[in-house]
Amino acid sequence: DAGITQSPRHKVTETGTPVTLRCHQTENHRYMYWYRQDPGHGLRLIHYSYGVKDTDKGEVSDGYSVSRSKTEDFLLTLESATSSQTSVYFCAISEAGQGSGSEQFFGPGTRLTVL
Amino acid sequence: GQNIDQPTEMTATEGAIVQINCTYQTSGFNGLFWYQQHAGEAPTFLSYNVLDGLEEKGRFSSFLSRSKGYSYLLLKELQMKDSASYLCAVTGGSGNTGKLIFGQGTTLQVKP
């Protein structure tokens, strides 16, 4: 299995509070991604990174920010959590970009509940 | 626009064969992935098709027709452990601006 971990694995928070999710990889892959998965929507890309300090927006980036200060860590921050951000969040890594045939390896997921 | 369609749910019997279809309309196409996702777990890679035709990998095969915007995943000799969601995903573009778009997934229930 690819060395990719997420923390925390579960979190319950209140509306309006900031939340940071962490993704850590030991594979030295260049590309890292944050997705959310909701019933009826499948996996939707929030933000991605193509290198240290290089990030870009995905399909559903509003209300989220990211940072990547080291190759191995990719942080997702919900600046002011809302109930609509209740979801399962997956981090993924790949050697090459999304348009390539490079397989994405997924972390175990973080279940976030915003009350 | 981008659109990927898969059936939401399917049911099949242990030992049987099941075909999960995926149709897509995307701006730019490089290839198509299939991922498997068991309930409460992360998606895992099954296959990647670039060229037209069938690719076989053990009990699982994946087919692609680029001209028709169509793919299917074929599961043979179904086992109970094959109960999972199957995600179709399409890639397009290149470099840092490439895209990977997922369909909603097909939940397969295998019954004894």
Side-chain angles (χ1 to χ4, degrees), chain A residues 9 30-31 35 37 40-43 48 50 56-57 59 90 97-109 111, chain B residues 30-31 33 35 37 40-45 48 87 90-105:
Chain A
R9 294 292 313 280
R30 178 182 174 190
Y31 291 81
Y35 292 91
Q37 188 173 39
H41 289 280
L43 283 162
Y48 66 99
Y50 48 94
D56 205 350
K57 296 179 179 180
E59 179 186 0
F90 285 100
Q98 294 180 80
S100 73
S102 184
E103 174 187 350
Q104 290 194 12
F105 299 92
F106 288 82
R111 184 173 295 276
Chain B
N30 293 340
F33 284 95
Y35 282 83
Q37 185 178 23
E41 297 184 8
T44 56
F45 171 85
Y48 179 63
L87 314 179
V90 172
T91 68
S94 63
N96 298 333
T97 60
K99 299 294 182 187
L100 176 65
I101 307 297
F102 283 86
Q104 294 184 21

Side-chain angles (χ1 to χ4, degrees), chain B residues 26-81:
Chain B
T26 58
S27 54
F29 176 84
N30 293 340
L32 187 144
F33 284 95
W34 283 97
Y35 282 83
Q36 181 189 59
Q37 185 178 23
H38 286 101
E41 297 184 8
T44 56
F45 171 85
L46 287 177
S47 66
Y48 179 63
N49 291 66
V50 175
L51 302 176
D52 286 356
L54 185 69
E55 293 197 7
E56 299 184 64
K57 191 183 295 185
R59 293 189 300 114
F60 291 11
S61 302
S62 55
F63 172 84
L64 176 66
S65 169
R66 295 173 69 111
S67 62
K68 295 183 179 178
Y70 168 68
S71 173
Y72 67 74
L73 182 69
L74 192 70
L75 289 71
K76 303 176 185 176
E77 301 170 14
L78 279 172
Q79 301 176 10
M80 298 300 291
K81 67 178 182 179

